[in-house]
Amino acid sequence: MRAISKRLSLVAMAAAAIAFISPHGRAAPVTADDLLNAQNNAGEWLMYGRDYRNWRYSPLDQITPENAAQLKPVWAMSTGGKFGGLEATPLFHDGVLYFSADYARVFAVDARTGTILWHYEPEYGTGFDAMLCCGPISRGVAIKGDLVYVARLDAVLVALNRTNGKIVWQQKIDDWKRGVTTNSAPLIVGNHLIIGVSGGEYGVRGYLKSYDTETGALQWTTYTVPAPGEPGSDTWPKDDSWKTGGAPTWLTGSYDAATNTLYWGTGNPGPWAAGQRPGDNLWSDCTLAIDPDTGKIKWGFQYTPNDAWDYDAMATPILIDITIGGKPIKAAALANRNGFFYVIDRSSGKFVYAMPLVQGINWTTGIDPVTGRPSEVAAMKPKQGGPTVQPIIPGLEGGTNWFPPAYDPTTGTMFVGQNQWGMGLTAWEKKKLVYKPGDLYMGVDYQMYRMGDTIGRIKAIDVANKKVIWEIQSPLPVFAGMLATKGGVLFTGDQRGRLLAIDQKTGKLLWNFQTGSGINASPITYELDGKQYVAILSGLGGDPSFYYSAPKGGMLWVFAIDGKVDEGNLYNQEVIQNALPVYKP
Amino acid sequence: MPAIVRASSRPAAAVSLLLLIGAVSLWVLRPLTGRADDTVTDPYLGQPAAIDAGEQIYREHCIICHGRAGGRGPDLFAVTLTDEEFLDTVLHGRPGTVMPAFSTTLSRDDIWKVRAFVKATPKGL
């Protein structure tokens, strides 16, 4: 162990030396204004969805349908570890890529060479893995000032020094032993760091928390299940069910600076057995509009009242200004696990429209065109102690899920990954459902079903005209995010491990590259030294690994048109000099 | 002479102690996959109370992945693992998959009860 410690300390010294010597180690800090103007910073990727609107659209245009076939890998690096699956969106700032791998291990990588500048490795308590519903995945980091922020999976928020990876502060969000975990990228607005939680299957009462970006001090907590007497509490039974009511906030939200409003999605109510909690169960399955300074809920729009199907509405709202039917609308659009694509008015929370994303939706007969409320099909709602109900479409993994869409503002097109599958649900007798902190609290068992020859779909949706422009089918489920570019090339990945370049106008596959493991992360693009690059994490794991058994892996791949890497040798000299003694006769 | 006897018995006692420690260590650290006559078997098979307890544990810890008959993960009601392999898999997980180690969450007895439940329920929940 001492030898290992010595080697580790030598490597750390080498890394620190590199960070000191490297010009990237002195990169300019990211300010709150930089984040506000992220959409105008063509070359960088400063937050989860590139900017507060979550468009995942880059103004870079060097890579086009005409030259995409010339894309080549520039470098790749291994994230090592246990290969638990990669689902993050990397960030890029001032020559450095920052991202989280499985177990929320954070890497800072020199984008010119692929050299690891520093690496943060959290340690977890014994038995923690057994608390993860869906694998040890992390969806990203946030950056501001000289800090890189990550939510460890065990509900601990950590701020790392951006130049050396050392912990500056850390803050316990909750006790993981009661089922609260964290795996999303934090969102930073001004001096607020906002982070949501997972745990909808463990009887957690969901919430959002905001922390001071400088000090880590807790600023506010907003619960997504109201306590008795709070607005929305009349949508819950007059018992203690609100205490275990779910509605977790497990994906990153959006922000509109013009109105100083956060938009955040919430997950399924708990337990899954809807008979346990008669009522609409606000604010489960909602988009919430929240004041980032106080945490006060301004309004909420609920997609699936009294959800019995695990149709979380946690999807990141995508903020677009669009004209529909001649009427300009400041809208929030999202693809929902319940099978529909929605547009709502983000100023008022009023419904605008919904269109089916998947075929054969049968839990509802349709969405009210005025209110947006679905008409439930009673026969598709399992009754406690009743028979199995199947097939229900979509299945519990959803018509879509966490993998983020992208929006091209030049054509008003949303690119959405979705899946065509179904499920059977059986709600247990009431007496078999017992809440114990830290244990599953579902009250329903299930079976997922394939419903046809192909499951995955990538769809291009003309948002204003409510129609699908093109569609690509895949035999495997889709679990990768989308990246749209001004150059007209859409990037995403598939479970086989291929990074795909697709013509945004036609859906034609322009190029692909086998990365060696399944892709369930989201690509980014950035400009470095005048050249456009594309980066993607490859590593099957988490939920996607239930459905396909590609080789495990953990790699960050970077591509460019005829890209060449500046290999350098500084880091090699440092490591060799410190880690390998020179032979002296 | 008694001193000599004592002197000669000390090493003997030490050797005996070492042998005892060695034997205990070998027993504790014995491989789970031993000879047929060493095979570990589920002591709760066919016992109704244990099967009921196993069902409850299954609902609290396993169902989110394994569903009522392999919801997303492998169908535990149809697995062909031996008792020993089942125990080993649940205790230590399957590295490189979503299956975590339950060694600090569930006791061996708990796991045996789950095993008894799934074996008694071949068609799933």
Side-chain angles (χ1 to χ4, degrees):
Chain A
M1 284 301 291
R2 268 169 44 194
I4 292 171
S5 300
K6 188 179 175 187
R7 282 180 204 161
L8 284 174
S9 62
L10 286 170
V11 171
M13 285 167 58
I18 292 162
F20 179 75
I21 293 164
S22 163
H24 318 311
R26 295 193 295 270
V30 174
T31 66
D33 279 347
D34 291 337
L35 296 175
L36 272 174
N37 295 308
Q39 66 270 25
N40 301 320
N41 183 348
E44 300 205 317
W45 195 290
L46 298 180
M47 67 181 81
Y48 179 69
R50 209 186 96 80
D51 58 54
Y52 284 133
R53 304 166 304 188
N54 276 284
W55 285 6
R56 291 177 183 266
Y57 169 80
S58 168
L60 298 179
D61 58 4
Q62 292 181 18
I63 303 171
T64 65
E66 289 69 39
N67 65 14
Q70 297 164 39
L71 280 162
K72 289 185 173 60
V74 179
W75 53 258
M77 58 148 287
S78 171
T79 57
K82 297 178 181 174
F83 299 124
L86 305 180
E87 293 188 2
T89 302
L91 306 185
F92 173 77
H93 171 62
D94 217 351
V96 181
L97 287 155
Y98 303 91
F99 66 94
S100 55
D102 50 342
Y103 292 94
R105 300 176 302 128
V106 181
F107 291 82
V109 181
D110 182 339
R112 288 186 174 82
T113 63
T115 308
I116 298 173
L117 299 175
W118 55 259
H119 169 209
Y120 164 68
E121 185 96 20
E123 291 181 6
Y124 293 98
T126 309
F128 171 69
D129 277 37
M131 192 61 76
L132 297 168
C133 77
C134 311
I137 57 85
S138 170
R139 300 199 170 94
V141 299
I143 187 169
K144 185 198 162 196
D146 279 322
L147 299 177
V148 175
Y149 306 89
V150 67
R152 289 168 45 136
L153 306 189
D154 57 353
V156 175
L157 184 63
V158 181
L160 302 167
N161 182 299
R162 191 167 54 81
T163 56
N164 59 25
K166 292 191 184 306
I167 296 173
V168 176
W169 55 258
Q170 58 182 15
Q171 189 67 266
K172 181 177 176 180
I173 298 169
D174 212 318
D175 179 6
W176 66 266
K177 290 184 176 171
R178 68 182 200 92
V180 179
T181 53
T182 45
N183 47 32
S184 60
L187 184 70
I188 292 174
V189 173
N191 70 336
H192 308 295
L193 180 148
I194 302 115
I195 183 74
V197 295
S198 300
E201 280 64 52
Y202 294 83
V204 165
R205 181 188 177 206
Y207 58 79
L208 267 186
K209 287 191 178 189
S210 177
Y211 294 89
D212 186 298
T213 52
E214 300 284 329
T215 65
L218 179 66
Q219 295 170 324
W220 50 258
T221 301
T222 295
Y223 284 96
T224 52
V225 178
E230 292 178 350
S233 57
D234 56 342
T235 64
W236 289 85
K238 295 189 187 312
D239 57 21
D240 283 345
S241 55
W242 61 276
K243 292 180 179 174
T244 52
T249 48
W250 57 271
L251 213 53
T252 307
S254 318
Y255 174 65
D256 186 348
T259 58
N260 194 32
T261 306
L262 288 173
Y263 298 92
W264 215 285
T266 64
N268 61 278
W272 285 12
Q276 203 78 11
R277 42 176 173 75
D280 282 359
N281 309 137
L282 294 174
W283 304 99
S284 66
D285 293 350
C286 283
T287 294
L288 292 176
I290 294 172
D291 182 331
D293 295 325
T294 63
K296 187 177 187 310
I297 296 174
K298 297 181 179 182
W299 53 257
F301 178 82
Q302 189 177 45
Y303 303 90
T304 313
N306 192 239
D307 179 6
W309 306 279
D310 194 26
Y311 290 155
D312 300 56
M314 76 300 154
T316 305
I318 299 164
L319 310 185
I320 57 177
D321 295 347
I322 194 162
T323 299
I324 298 178
K327 184 182 172 191
I329 298 170
K330 290 190 176 300
L334 64 82
N336 197 300
R337 277 171 67 158
N338 72 10
F340 290 87
F341 176 78
Y342 286 85
V343 175
I344 63 173
D345 185 327
R346 73 174 185 270
S347 304
S348 62
K350 302 287 187 199
F351 175 76
V352 176
Y353 79 78
M355 62 181 278
L357 261 184
V358 304
Q359 292 176 321
I361 295 171
N362 62 4
W363 64 274
T364 174
T365 55
I367 310 290
D368 185 291
V370 176
T371 65
R373 190 180 179 89
S375 299
E376 272 180 20
V377 176
M380 287 292 113
K381 200 164 190 177
K383 292 182 174 57
Q384 288 182 292
T388 296
V389 177
Q390 61 186 13
I392 303 168
I393 299 172
L396 61 96
E397 291 276 11
T400 184
N401 211 310
W402 73 83
F403 31 93
Y407 177 70
D408 177 356
T410 63
T411 58
T413 308
M414 193 77 74
F415 303 98
V416 183
Q418 59 113 147
N419 292 306
Q420 185 73 41
W421 44 20
M423 66 179 165
L425 292 179
T426 314
W428 312 342
E429 296 171 66
K430 281 195 174 190
K431 65 181 182 186
K432 292 196 171 178
L433 178 62
V434 179
Y435 173 71
K436 292 182 197 166
D439 284 357
L440 289 170
Y441 186 60
M442 295 164 64
V444 172
D445 51 70
Y446 67 90
Q447 178 65 51
M448 283 291 289
Y449 292 115
R450 167 188 287 267
M451 300 301 294
D453 289 342
T454 61
I455 299 175
R457 308 275 190 279
I458 298 170
K459 286 182 177 168
I461 298 171
D462 177 343
V463 180
N465 295 304
K466 311 174 197 176
K467 67 177 184 185
V468 174
I469 303 168
W470 55 256
E471 171 184 316
I472 301 171
Q473 296 197 7
S474 167
L476 299 173
V478 167
F479 283 107
M482 305 286 152
L483 162 64
T485 63
K486 187 181 177 187
V489 180
L490 178 75
F491 291 92
T492 187
D494 69 16
Q495 291 300 283
R496 290 163 58 187
R498 299 181 307 164
L499 178 65
L500 309 173
I502 296 165
D503 188 324
Q504 287 173 188
K505 280 188 182 159
T506 65
K508 181 188 172 193
L509 182 63
L510 303 166
W511 168 88
N512 74 90
F513 180 86
Q514 175 54 255
T515 61
S517 183
I519 293 179
N520 26 246
S522 302
I524 67 162
T525 188
Y526 56 89
E527 185 175 300
L528 179 63
D529 302 331
K531 180 175 284 189
Q532 182 182 357
Y533 293 84
V534 176
I536 184 72
L537 288 161
S538 163
L540 186 71
D543 269 25
S545 61
F546 285 128
Y547 307 108
Y548 190 58
S549 52
K552 301 297 169 190
M555 298 289 285
L556 174 64
W557 284 92
V558 170
F559 300 85
I561 299 291
D562 292 332
K564 290 178 184 170
V565 62
D566 170 15
E567 291 180 355
N569 62 7
L570 180 61
Y571 64 97
N572 279 329
Q573 287 173 4
E574 291 291 334
V575 172
I576 290 169
Q577 282 170 13
N578 287 293
L580 191 62
V582 176
Y583 173 69
K584 292 177 183 172
Chain B
M1 288 304 289
I4 295 170
V5 171
R6 279 200 301 274
S8 63
S9 67
R10 276 179 191 152
V15 167
S16 301
L17 185 61
L18 283 172
L19 284 172
L20 181 64
I21 291 169
V24 170
S25 303
L26 283 173
W27 181 80
V28 169
L29 299 173
R30 73 196 190 285
L32 280 172
T33 49
R35 296 193 313 271
D37 56 355
D38 287 340
T39 300
V40 177
T41 53
D42 185 344
Y44 291 110
L45 294 180
Q47 296 180 21
I51 291 169
D52 285 351
E55 178 179 349
Q56 188 63 28
I57 297 164
Y58 183 89
R59 290 177 188 276
E60 290 167 357
H61 295 278
C62 315
I63 204 159
I64 193 163
C65 296
H66 296 287
R68 67 166 187 266
R72 296 185 293 175
D75 180 355
L76 292 195
F77 302 96
V79 295
T80 55
L81 299 177
T82 65
D83 287 358
E84 237 178 297
E85 290 164 342
F86 187 93
L87 177 70
D88 190 47
T89 303
V90 181
L91 280 175
H92 305 299
R94 281 191 184 256
T97 75
V98 184
M99 177 67 190
F102 283 90
S103 56
T104 58
T105 309
L106 299 176
S107 67
R108 286 180 173 235
D109 263 8
D110 288 340
I111 299 167
W112 283 141
K113 288 171 184 171
V114 172
R115 173 67 167 173
F117 163 63
V118 298
K119 281 192 99 167
T121 321
K123 292 184 179 174
L125 277 172

